[in-house]
Amino acid sequence: MERREIIQVLSRELESLTRLHVQYGLYNTEGFQTQKSSIARYIAEHQIDARRELDPLTLNQYRRYFG
């Protein structure tokens, strides 16, 4: 998978996490925490440098949940 595709997958996952939190209010559910853990593993697995590789909107979402 190309680096660009890896970042796009991360962006979609962060958007989904934000949707669960903001639109559906599922911040305290097990599913939310599971997805958050999955995203953290994905970031570590692909050694993503959020500050350098993410677009401003995605970086803001990243900071909201992992900063």
Side-chain angles (χ1 to χ4, degrees), residues 13-48:
E13 290 298 317
L14 283 168
E15 183 179 326
S16 176
L17 190 70
T18 301
R19 194 175 312 109
L20 286 174
H21 178 211
V22 176
Q23 287 182 340
Y24 301 110
L26 299 175
Y27 186 78
N28 293 319
T29 64
E30 185 178 330
F32 181 90
Q33 296 304 321
T34 302
Q35 185 169 359
K36 187 175 172 183
S37 297
S38 174
I39 292 171
R41 279 192 308 275
Y42 186 83
I43 291 169
E45 179 182 310
H46 293 286
Q47 300 176 344
I48 297 171

